[in-house]
Amino acid sequence: FMEKHLRDPYEINLMEELTLKGVTQYYAFVQERQKVHCLNTLFSKLQITQSIIFCNSTQRVELLAKKITDLGYCCYYIHAKMAQAHRNRVFHDFRAGLCRNLVSSDLFTRGIDVQAVNVVINFDFPKMAETYLHRIGRSGRFGHLGIAINLITYEDRFNLHRIEQELGTEIKPIPKVIDPSLYVARPEDN
Amino acid sequence: QRALERDEHTFGTPIDQSLSQDFDFEKNLALFDKEAVWQEINSLKPDI
């Protein structure tokens, strides 16, 4: 039974309810110093309803949030070193749509359940498959579309390879044009 | 210390004109041959 039906028992045991279904996953190959430029271009090209951008440290969350603000985009941030009450307030305001972008460290224990988030960007690629699934995975509601874009440096290649293998998924190179139907809800859907 | 250096690489460049040009995704993707890198990684693994 296991072999026939479960592609990866490791994944299933960790997160029964999270799925990558409906999420189209891409990577962009970058150097560290190109990441901000790359992100800025993504902001200008993508039809973002709301986005969450993940970094691997609280320090980098704060630095990136400042950069994004300097670039002229509205941006909140939350990370593990903030008081819970403060985090709750920021997340509440983000969910209410007061701001389009949220920079975050790894806080979400059950995946993202903000309906309006149609773009997730891994500014820093995670080391663990479990972390990747928490960041990108959805709780599997039908018709919940989105794209995930991973900024990949040469140093990330082993993690990228391993996470694809462990999750039994494929992260494709970002195409020249991303089909809006993959992540932009049509008006009649709402 | 390494983390600090990395942060400097990532965030140290001031925001300037260069950002007004689009990042060239295709040019950068061409620098990473995923197929070839995967083969290389797989070849490093011991046969099970």
Side-chain angles (χ1 to χ4, degrees):
Chain A
F1 176 84
M2 290 277 283
E3 276 184 18
K4 192 169 170 198
H5 295 282
L6 301 180
R7 238 193 294 187
D8 192 342
Y10 172 63
E11 168 195 352
I12 306 291
N13 289 339
L14 283 170
M15 287 311 306
E16 249 176 339
E17 292 170 23
L18 284 181
T19 176
L20 294 170
K21 265 197 203 107
V23 182
T24 308
Q25 307 163 78
Y26 295 123
Y27 71 87
F29 188 66
V30 298
Q31 295 171 24
E32 268 311 321
R33 60 179 176 77
Q34 294 174 316
K35 281 185 172 181
V36 169
H37 183 197
C38 179
L39 184 69
N40 187 55
T41 303
L42 289 173
F43 277 157
S44 69
K45 297 237 169 193
L46 295 173
Q47 297 179 50
I48 294 174
T49 311
Q50 280 194 301
S51 76
I52 301 185
I53 302 127
F54 287 99
C55 295
N56 284 355
S57 74
T58 59
Q59 168 80 354
R60 289 171 68 83
V61 166
E62 292 189 5
L63 289 168
L64 180 58
K66 182 171 185 314
K67 272 286 179 196
I68 292 174
T69 306
D70 290 347
L71 288 167
Y73 296 99
C74 175
C75 162
Y76 288 155
Y77 69 90
I78 51 174
H79 58 61
K81 286 184 184 157
M82 288 162 64
Q84 186 65 44
H86 187 191
R87 270 192 254 165
N88 289 348
R89 195 168 64 246
V90 172
F91 197 66
H92 173 272
D93 288 351
F94 177 68
R95 187 192 285 276
L98 298 187
C99 180
R100 195 180 286 262
N101 309 297
L102 177 70
V103 184
S104 176
S105 59
D106 294 299
L107 296 169
F108 300 98
T109 49
R110 296 192 59 251
I112 303 148
D113 59 349
V114 180
Q115 192 77 30
V117 171
N118 65 335
V119 177
V120 175
I121 297 171
N122 279 328
F123 188 81
D124 296 326
F125 195 70
K127 294 178 176 60
M128 309 286 289
E130 185 190 10
T131 310
Y132 185 81
L133 194 59
H134 281 145
R135 289 179 178 187
I136 309 297
R138 298 299 182 94
S139 45
R141 283 184 299 256
F142 179 72
H144 202 149
L145 295 176
I147 54 171
I149 298 182
N150 297 287
L151 306 195
I152 297 292
T153 65
Y154 192 62
E155 284 68 39
D156 293 321
R157 66 193 184 284
F158 295 107
N159 291 329
L160 177 65
H161 179 262
R162 208 186 54 248
I163 287 174
E164 274 195 345
Q165 296 252 303
E166 289 185 3
L167 297 179
T169 191
E170 190 190 354
I171 303 172
K172 297 191 166 84
I174 188 168
K176 206 175 169 70
V177 177
I178 297 176
D179 181 356
S181 71
L182 292 173
Y183 70 108
V184 183
R186 290 167 299 162
E188 61 263 34
D189 289 341
N190 292 324
Chain B
Q1 186 61 41
R2 245 191 108 210
L4 276 179
E5 266 174 40
R6 183 171 173 227
D7 289 350
E8 174 61 26
H9 275 145
T10 317
F11 302 106
T13 312
I15 290 166
D16 60 17
Q17 283 296 316
S18 65
L19 284 183
S20 63
Q21 286 176 3
D22 282 346
F23 179 77
D24 193 336
F25 288 95
E26 288 183 310
K27 189 177 136 201
N28 278 277
L29 283 171
L31 301 174
F32 181 65
D33 184 345
K34 197 181 174 201
E35 247 348 275
V37 172
W38 270 204
Q39 277 181 19
E40 193 192 330
I41 291 175
N42 287 330
S43 73
L44 295 174
K45 285 184 192 160
D47 287 328
I48 299 169

